[in-house]
Structure formats: structure tokens, C-alpha cells
Amino acid sequence: MRALWSLVLIVGIWASTAPVSADSIVERVKERGVLYCGGVARPGLADQSSGAGWQGLEIDIGRAIAEAVLSSPDKVDFHEYATETDFADGATSDDVLFLTGSEISDHHLAGLIVPGPPVFVESQGVMVSGDSDIQRLNDLRNRTVCFLIGSPSERGLNAFSDRTGYNIFRRPFSEVGEMVDAYAARNCEAIVGEITDLAAVRNEAEVRHLASRILPETLADFPVIAATGTVDAKWSSLVAWTVYTLISGERRESPWYAGGAGAMPADAPELGLAAGWQKAVLEAVGDYGDIVRRNLGPGSALNLDRGSYGNRVEPGFLLSPYLD
């Protein structure tokens, strides 16, 4: 019996320290030499309007994972999800998927993915002209508000109206261009949409003369998560720890707690990660705050203040494990 238990112990120790198997996603990515990512195009998150290829927060998250696995942040191939086929194919072929709850539900992906950590908190917001007297959501009572038919923003606006009992003159559009033209002509006192889309609309030539602003209150907030396939739990763990490293890395060191790469040490050779990988990731792409500033924050093209998508270090909704 003692011999049997010794054998079990030896096998258990071997299994816990064995290298990553050859058919793991880590080994597949290393052999391929590039990380495959996919998601829906969103300004500031995944966008190629600048003509310089795909750029944005999601691409930088992918670059961080590529640095962790391939020791190079540039070995990332991003795929846009725009059709039903894209979602179906991406759920089984991409290494990392950036998805919202609605996208997971609409495309029946719940059984095909492991829902990972949030990488961004998107919001349904309201934009008005700079000279408007609308300052808060409550000021939308008896105002003309434009929206896209069938969009989540329409649902958010209707929910707000139902909850408050406010009478809002709702003007629907089926095309973004038509809605933007109506807003630019001041036929809409406000428009609703995702805050990243509104920030991009604010930059369009026909709207710039309005000096538009986005209200600080939101109609709804929802996360964009880093999801992975269900076939490799170690890969899901690696992706999660990389995202958490970026978020916790924004925590500044003090005499009372660790910060930066030491805010949440995740030494994980079992995942195929080399010693010092967290420090290398933060040096390659910066922490979460750095990523936000260059893609979404003041000084970027979108010029958005950090609100719901802020780190809990500030305030915001994003929170990751750290040494408490």
C-alpha cells in the first residue's frame, strides 16, 4: 500500500511540474509565431480608420499576450467579427476573442468559450451640442433624442424612459449617416450610442462645429471581455493573468502595498511563461492606464475621460486580483 501511495505521489508531482503539452495552445502559438485575436470593430478598441492597420485597446491587450508568450508584442493578427460566420469561425480558431454579453448571446457562443476578465467597460451614452442646456439624463424630458432602430442604445433609452416615466420624443433612424446628418442640422437635441462611437462621431467634419459633449451619466454599462476557447484551461488562465497584470500593474507602489509588476505576482512556469514575464509585458505595452491614454483618453483622437472603464484604483469598474 505504501508503494502504491508513493507511486501516486510521484505521478502527481510529475503532472504538476510537467512542461506544457505539445498540443497546448501555448505551443501552437509558439509554433505558429503569431497570436490570433478577434472582435467587433469599435473606435478606440479595434479600429483601422487611421489607415495604419488595426489599432486600439484590444490590439494592445493582444500585444501584451504576444509578449508574454512569444517575447514580441508585434506578433498579433487581429480579425474583425462582422458576420455570423466570423463569430462561428472565431470561436474555434482565434486564440483570444473580445466579446460583449450580447455578442455571446446573439451568436450562441456561451458553450464554446470561457468568459474571461473584462478588458473594457463600454457604456450607452448621450451626446449633446456644447451649447445645449442638457446637463444630465433627467434633462432629456420632453427633448428630441435620436437613435438607431434595433440598437442596444434604443433599448437603453426606452428603459430609462420607462423607469423614470419621462416623456422623450424619440426619433428613430436606420442609418448612422442619416442620424449624424440630423444631429449636425440640429434636428436632434441629443443622440444616443456607445460612448466610443459617440466620441468618433464628435470628430466627424459635419459635427465638429457643434463642439459636442458626452454626458457623464450613462444609460447602461457593460463589459467587453477577453474570452478563450474551452479546449485548454491553461491557455484561459494565461490570458486572464496577462489582462490582470495590465490592470493591477496600474497600481502604484507605496510603503504599504506593492505596485506595478509586483502588485500581483503570477509566476507561472506551468503555463509556459518565463520568469519575469510580467515585467516584460509592462515594459512592452505599458499598464492598463497607459493603454487607455493612448487609445481613448485625453490626448487621443477620441479624447474620452475615464469613467466607468476606469480602474478601481481611480474610481471605475475594473478590478483585478492584487496583494491585499
Side-chain angles (χ1 to χ4, degrees):
M1 182 64 69
R2 280 198 297 270
L4 176 61
W5 279 113
S6 298
L7 178 61
V8 170
L9 180 61
I10 292 170
V11 171
I13 293 173
W14 176 84
S16 66
T17 58
V20 180
S21 61
D23 59 348
S24 72
I25 294 180
V26 167
E27 290 303 316
R28 197 183 313 165
V29 172
K30 287 181 178 179
E31 182 177 351
R32 187 198 304 142
V34 64
L35 177 79
Y36 288 160
C37 300
V40 174
R42 281 184 169 89
L45 302 189
D47 184 19
Q48 55 180 348
S49 60
S50 66
W54 287 102
Q55 296 181 327
L57 180 142
E58 292 175 3
I59 284 72
D60 278 351
I61 300 291
R63 295 177 69 241
I65 298 168
E67 171 62 34
V69 178
L70 300 170
S71 300
S72 173
D74 300 322
K75 296 179 179 180
V76 176
D77 187 354
F78 183 86
H79 304 82
E80 180 182 6
Y81 290 5
T83 68
E84 191 72 33
T85 301
D86 293 333
F87 282 93
D89 291 346
T92 56
S93 63
D94 280 333
D95 305 313
V96 184
L97 304 85
F98 299 103
L99 301 168
T100 68
S102 293
E103 289 156 2
I104 293 170
S105 176
D106 291 346
H107 301 283
H108 310 291
L109 301 178
L112 300 175
I113 57 114
V114 176
V119 299
F120 185 73
V121 179
E122 182 66 276
S123 299
Q124 303 294 348
V126 179
M127 188 167 73
V128 300
S129 61
D131 57 5
S132 172
D133 61 352
I134 298 174
Q135 302 294 329
R136 303 179 58 205
L137 292 181
N138 286 343
D139 298 331
L140 295 177
R141 183 187 301 188
N142 298 322
R143 303 302 185 103
T144 302
V145 181
C146 297
F147 59 88
L148 287 178
I149 297 173
S151 67
S153 299
E154 178 186 9
R155 295 195 295 271
L157 181 63
N158 290 341
F160 172 76
S161 178
D162 290 346
R163 184 174 69 252
T164 59
Y166 292 169
N167 181 43
I168 297 174
F169 301 113
R170 282 163 275 193
R171 186 173 178 186
F173 290 85
S174 58
E175 298 290 340
V176 175
E178 293 176 351
M179 182 178 70
V180 172
D181 289 343
Y183 174 73
R186 295 192 179 239
N187 293 327
C188 308
E189 294 179 87
I191 57 174
V192 297
E194 294 184 2
I195 57 169
T196 50
D197 286 329
L198 294 177
V201 168
R202 185 172 56 185
N203 290 338
E204 295 187 13
E206 61 268 35
V207 176
R208 285 179 186 166
H209 68 281
L210 293 181
S212 300
R213 53 188 169 82
I214 299 171
L215 300 186
E217 296 176 298
T218 61
L219 295 170
D221 303 293
F222 55 95
V224 179
I225 66 170
T228 53
T230 58
V231 298
D232 189 340
K234 287 190 174 183
W235 175 253
S236 299
S237 178
L238 184 155
V239 169
W241 281 121
T242 305
V243 173
Y244 287 143
T245 293
L246 297 173
I247 296 173
S248 63
E250 192 175 1
R251 186 181 178 92
R252 299 305 176 212
E253 188 169 358
S254 85
W256 306 105
Y257 51 75
M264 180 60 227
D267 299 325
E270 304 88 348
L271 303 181
L273 296 171
W277 72 272
Q278 290 175 289
K279 182 179 179 181
V281 163
L282 293 176
E283 289 177 349
V285 302
D287 59 37
Y288 187 82
D290 297 324
I291 292 173
V292 164
R293 279 188 287 275
R294 62 175 171 260
N295 292 298
L296 296 133
S300 73
L302 296 186
N303 193 29
L304 283 169
D305 292 327
R306 287 185 77 169
S308 56
Y309 65 94
N311 198 317
R312 286 297 295 169
V313 171
E314 294 177 340
F317 289 156
L318 287 177
L319 182 64
S320 69
Y322 61 90
L323 296 181
D324 53 85

